[in-house]
Amino acid sequence: MKNSIDQLPARQQQALKTRQKLLKAGKEVFLENGFQKATISQVIKKAETGYGTAYVYFKNKDELFITLMEDLMNQFYKVAEMPFKPQAKEVAYENIKRQVRLFLQLALDERNMMKVVKEAIGVSPEIEEKWYGIRERFIERISVDIRYAQSQKLAKENLDPVLTARGWFYSNEMFMWELVMNEEKYQIDDVIVNLTRMYTGGLYE
Amino acid sequence: MKNSIDQLPARQQQALKTRQKLLKAGKEVFLENGFQKATISQVIKKAETGYGTAYVYFKNKDELFITLMEDLMNQFYKVAEMPFKPQAKEVAYENIKRQVRLFLQLALDERNMMKVVKEAIGVSPEIEEKWYGIRERFIERISVDIRYAQSQKLAKENLDPVLTARGWFYSNEMFMWELVMNEEKYQIDDVIVNLTRMYTGGLYE
DNA sequence: TGTTTGATTGACACTATGTCAATGATATAA
DNA sequence: TTATATCATTGACATAGTGTCAATCAAACA
C-alpha cells in the first residue's frame, strides 16, 4: 500500500481530505441542481470549507465537474476502444448489436450523472471539448471497422468510411441522449434492433 | 397598407421603433459575442436606450433571442412540412437527396446565426424546447414517408417507422451542426450522397 | 389647458464569481 | 523544546451581471 493516504504527512493528508470533501459535495450539488444552477457557494457550504478553498483545488465550476466526470468518461473511452473484426454479415450484425448495447447501457447505468453531463456540454466549451474527444474516438474506431469490412467485401465500397462512421455514431449518440433524458419513452432493445437493422441493411428493399 | 407603422399614433410608433432598435442591436451583439457572453447591457448600449427598456419589451435575454430566431425557425418548419410520396426506389433516392440538401443548405445559408442557435440550445431550456419542436416535426413527417414507402412495399416492413425516422433525422441534424461549426471539414455534396446511400441501402452487401 | 395614460429610465437590491492578504496549523531545523 | 518556514485555509472584497420599480417625461385626450 505504498502512497496510501495514511502514510502521507498529516498536512497532505488533510489537503487530500479537503479535496475529497469538495468532490463529494460537488457531486451531490450537481446531481441535485444540475450544472447551471449549481454554485460554488452551495458546494463549499455542503463541504463545510471556507469559500476560497474550492478555488485552491479547482480553477472553477467547470474544472470541478470535469474531475467528477473523468471516471465516467474513461468508461466511454474503454467502450470506444473495443474494435471488432466481423467475418460474415450475420456475425457482424451480432457484434454491432453488442457494441450498441454496451454504449447505451453505460449511459443508462449512470443516467443521473449523464443528464448533468448533457447540460454541462451545452454550457461549458471545455466540457464540450471532452465529449467531442470521446465522439471522435468512437468515429475513428468505427471507421476502422468499416474499412476492414470493405476490404473483406462484406460492406459496400461506395460508402466513405469516415462519413458513414460519423453518421452511424450520431444516431447512436442521439438515441443515447434520448434514452437518458426520457427514461420510459422507448425500449432499449427496440432501439438497438432498429438501429442495427438500419445500419447494416438500410431502409429500402 | 393598413396597419402600417406610419399610421399608428406617435406613441405606439415610438414604442415599435424602440423595440426594433433593441432587436437590431440584439442581433448584432449575439452575432459578435455568442449567446452566453452577450449581455443586456451591451444590447441597450448599442440600441441607445435606458437599461430598464429592454425588460419592457423582452422578459430576458432568452426571450429576446427567441424573437430573433423566429424567422429562421419558421423556415425550418417549412422544410419539415414538405412530404413526399416516393414511387420507385430511384425516385425516392432523388427525393431524399433533395430534402437533405434543403435542410443542410438552409442551415449553411444562416451559418452565423445557427452557430449562436447551437450555443443557445445548450444554455437555455426554452430555446432547447423550440429546437426540439422542429426536430419532432421533422421526425413525424419522415415517419409518414416511411410508412407510405412500406405500404407500397418499397421499404422493409421490419423497421419501426418512428425509430427509423428518428435515427435518420439525428444523422442529418448532427451533420448539419458539424457543417455549421466546421465550414471546411466536409464537402456538403459528399455528406448528402453518403447519408442518402446509407439510409436507403445500408452498409452491408 | 389640464389631466391621464403609458413609454422610458437608472438607481437599487440581489446573486454569483474569482482573488488575495491574512491567519493558523504543521513540518523542520537549531 | 523552541523558533522559523511552509503551506492549507479563509472570508472580505472588487467586479460583473440580473431583474425590478418608483419616478419622470411626453403624447393623447377631454
Side-chain angles (χ1 to χ4, degrees), chain A residues 121-184:
Chain A
I121 290 170
V123 177
S124 153
E126 286 76 34
I127 297 170
E128 187 180 42
E129 207 45 55
K130 292 265 168 195
W131 180 255
Y132 284 3
I134 287 171
R135 179 187 290 162
E136 295 305 320
R137 185 76 70 100
F138 269 101
I139 290 167
E140 212 166 299
R141 205 284 326 277
I142 297 165
S143 302
V144 171
D145 292 346
I146 291 175
R147 277 199 205 89
Y148 181 83
Q150 285 175 329
S151 76
Q152 301 296 104
K153 307 288 176 200
L154 291 165
K156 291 169 184 159
E157 292 193 284
N158 68 353
L159 289 169
D160 179 275
V162 174
L163 287 174
T164 306
R166 189 167 286 277
W168 164 238
F169 182 73
Y170 284 159
S171 289
N172 281 268
E173 177 181 343
M174 293 296 275
F175 267 114
M176 181 272 281
W177 294 123
E178 176 71 44
L179 289 167
V180 163
M181 299 311 281
N182 299 306
E183 189 157 32
E184 301 308 346

Side-chain angles (χ1 to χ4, degrees), chain B residues 133-149:
Chain B
I134 287 170
R135 180 187 289 162
E136 294 305 319
R137 186 75 70 99
F138 270 101
I139 289 168
E140 212 165 297
R141 205 283 327 273
I142 297 166
S143 303
V144 171
D145 292 347
I146 291 176
R147 277 198 205 88
Y148 180 82

Side-chain angles (χ1 to χ4, degrees), chain A residues 20-152:
Chain A
Q20 293 305 326
K21 275 200 297 182
L22 285 165
L23 283 170
K24 186 171 181 291
K27 182 146 193 173
E28 286 171 26
V29 169
F30 281 124
L31 287 175
E32 267 170 43
N33 302 81
F35 185 76
Q36 288 197 82
K37 286 194 182 166
T39 69
I40 295 289
S41 303
Q42 292 171 313
V43 174
I44 60 101
K45 199 177 165 189
K46 192 158 254 179
E48 292 174 311
T49 71
Y51 184 80
T53 311
Y55 288 96
V56 173
Y57 294 98
F58 307 98
K59 215 184 91 203
N60 52 33
K61 197 169 78 166
D62 296 31
E63 291 283 323
L64 171 54
F65 189 75
I66 286 173
T67 309
L68 285 169
M69 291 200 326
E70 216 121 88
D71 274 359
L72 183 47
M73 293 304 108
N74 282 333
Q75 293 186 258
F76 275 104
Y77 273 115
K78 277 233 183 78
V79 175
E81 272 155 15
M82 303 169 64
F84 81 102
K85 295 274 169 282
Q87 311 296 327
K89 186 175 176 178
E90 294 69 31
V91 186
Y93 180 82
E94 288 307 322
N95 275 325
I96 292 164
K97 253 173 69 176
R98 192 157 36 78
Q99 292 271 11
V100 175
R101 169 167 275 112
L102 273 174
F103 176 71
L104 296 180
Q105 199 58 57
L106 169 54
L108 286 176
D109 287 345
E110 289 266 18
R111 194 163 165 261
N112 290 327
M113 194 58 185
M114 286 302 283
K115 280 189 191 183
V116 188
V117 170
K118 180 173 185 274
E119 197 196 345
I121 290 170
V123 177
S124 153
E126 286 76 34
I127 297 170
E128 187 180 42
E129 207 45 55
K130 292 265 168 195
W131 180 255
Y132 284 3
I134 287 171
R135 179 187 290 162
E136 295 305 320
R137 185 76 70 100
F138 269 101
I139 290 167
E140 212 166 299
R141 205 284 326 277
I142 297 165
S143 302
V144 171
D145 292 346
I146 291 175
R147 277 199 205 89
Y148 181 83
Q150 285 175 329
S151 76
Q152 301 296 104

Side-chain angles (χ1 to χ4, degrees), chain B residues 11 18 49-50 52-53 57:
Chain B
R11 203 145 54 170
T18 304
T49 71
T53 311
Y57 294 98

Side-chain angles (χ1 to χ4, degrees), chain B residues 72-111:
Chain B
L72 184 47
M73 294 304 109
N74 282 334
Q75 292 185 260
F76 275 104
Y77 273 115
K78 277 232 182 80
V79 174
E81 273 154 16
M82 302 169 65
F84 82 102
K85 296 274 168 280
Q87 310 295 326
K89 187 175 175 177
E90 293 69 30
V91 186
Y93 180 82
E94 288 307 322
N95 276 323
I96 292 164
K97 254 174 65 175
R98 191 157 37 78
Q99 292 271 12
V100 175
R101 170 167 275 114
L102 273 173
F103 176 72
L104 296 180
Q105 199 58 58
L106 170 53
L108 286 177
D109 287 346
E110 289 267 17
R111 195 164 165 259

